[in-house]
Amino acid sequence: MSVIRLFSDRRKMRTVFVLGGGGNLGAVQVGMLRAVIERGVVPDLLLGSSVGALNAAAVAADASLDGVESLDKAWRAINGDDLMPGHLSGLWQLARKSRSVHHNDGLRRLIDRAIPFEQFEDAPVPFQVVATSLRTGREQWFARGRIVEPILASAALPGVFPPVEIDGELFIDGGVVDNVPMTRAATLGATRMYVFHVGNFDRPRPDPKRPIDVLLQAFSISRNYRFLAEMQDPPEGVEMICLPAVDPGSLRRNDFARSAQLIDRAYANASAFLDQYAAVVGE
């Protein structure tokens, strides 16, 4: 089982869902969420980074099985060509005079479809999302005002989606500095933390064949580094339940055709894990 710290007084729990990044593997979080919420777990707060920002906002709208079902339908309906039109073929795309290879119109439409409110303050369950400042290189958390721009910023994969301007400052993917914001959850008073990390599986990394493969793989390594470090030294007094992900095998970054399969596999994995966990702690 994953690393777990038990909290002694279960009557005073503050439950935080931590949803990390992972692009089209965000479908895995849908299966995880179904398994957790099915067992009667209700979050007091949700934290999201990158694609986890989108999923966190959707659950904040309705942290029930009905809410998960709505998110499930949204993921199964995603068209990869609409979300990420074109291909990353050739260095000329990286060298052309533009801040990104793709626009974020498809992502904006997905946010509009999946999230039924416009302001953070309107969410039935509080949630926050993180992005990275291009100016300072530091993380910036958003918890008030309009939700669309902060979520677009949090999911703005560098070079793939454009930076997003908020209050005169440019922001990119929150996963650059805090892909799985566990420390943030502890700082905000989490005593029980469910960690939805879609990269939580072991597999040798493939040998890159193109310059873009090296760039994307380097970004993946940097995003996972902080998670691994924090898992080795988890916060005291926090019950951490880090859900198992699924190995998707070979999967192109804009391939959403396997979302349904990933959701179902993640649900089965998470359900088995949670049943085993409940048996260990006597719940």
Side-chain angles (χ1 to χ4, degrees):
M1 298 180 72
S2 298
V3 174
I4 296 170
R5 284 289 182 93
L6 293 178
F7 183 69
S8 57
D9 190 349
R10 307 183 69 81
R11 295 168 299 175
K12 299 178 181 178
M13 286 292 184
R14 176 169 168 79
T15 300
V16 179
F17 285 8
V18 179
L19 289 83
N24 54 355
L25 291 182
V28 170
Q29 289 177 348
V30 181
M32 292 175 171
L33 286 162
R34 181 182 295 280
V36 172
I37 292 175
E38 194 174 66
R39 283 157 178 78
V41 180
V42 179
D44 298 302
L45 173 69
L46 297 113
L47 301 178
S49 178
S50 198
V51 72
L54 170 69
N55 287 340
V59 175
D62 184 357
S64 70
L65 286 177
D66 287 342
V68 174
E69 180 64 25
S70 295
L71 182 60
D72 182 296
K73 289 179 180 177
W75 268 95
R76 292 175 191 257
I78 292 177
N79 183 317
D81 290 332
D82 178 56
L83 203 62
M84 293 184 178
H87 304 281
L88 285 178
S89 58
L91 285 175
W92 69 270
Q93 293 200 56
L94 298 179
R96 68 180 182 173
K97 197 171 183 179
S98 176
R99 285 176 171 170
S100 66
V101 173
H102 301 310
H103 55 69
N104 60 13
D105 294 349
L107 183 55
R108 185 182 292 272
R109 288 191 292 269
L110 176 60
I111 293 170
D112 289 340
R113 291 197 306 270
I115 304 172
F117 56 88
E118 296 182 354
Q119 305 280 332
F120 280 93
E121 293 85 351
D122 295 333
V125 181
F127 78 104
Q128 301 180 11
V129 304
V130 64
T132 304
S133 168
L134 269 180
R135 180 178 59 85
T136 67
R138 296 181 181 276
E139 64 188 67
Q140 175 68 49
W141 283 91
F142 297 91
R144 288 185 290 273
R146 283 177 51 81
I147 66 168
V148 173
E149 286 75 19
I151 293 175
L152 285 174
S154 187
L157 183 65
V160 177
F161 290 127
V164 177
E165 183 175 336
I166 301 174
D167 295 331
E169 187 168 355
L170 291 176
F171 293 94
I172 58 171
D173 200 313
V176 172
V177 290
D178 202 357
N179 192 48
V180 189
M182 296 182 292
T183 295
R184 176 73 173 181
T187 300
L188 293 176
T191 51
R192 180 169 60 175
M193 191 185 309
Y194 283 84
V195 181
F196 300 80
H197 178 30
V198 300
N200 186 26
F201 59 87
D202 294 322
R203 170 161 52 94
R205 294 181 181 275
D207 291 332
K209 296 179 174 58
R210 302 172 299 166
I212 188 61
D213 296 334
V214 178
L215 288 172
L216 292 177
Q217 191 158 306
F219 179 53
S220 174
I221 291 169
S222 68
R223 284 193 309 175
N224 208 44
Y225 179 82
R226 181 170 176 175
F227 166 78
L228 294 174
E230 292 182 0
M231 284 298 293
Q232 290 175 357
D233 187 24
E236 294 291 336
V238 178
E239 179 182 5
M240 291 183 62
I241 302 120
C242 188
L243 297 158
V246 297
D247 185 344
S250 178
L251 185 70
R252 290 182 294 108
R253 61 180 179 80
N254 66 338
D255 182 0
F256 289 83
R258 290 166 53 192
S259 291
Q261 178 192 107
L262 291 173
I263 291 170
D264 294 341
R265 289 178 58 197
Y267 170 73
N269 271 16
S271 294
F273 172 84
L274 291 168
D275 289 344
Q276 181 184 0
Y277 177 72
V280 169
V281 300
E283 289 191 336

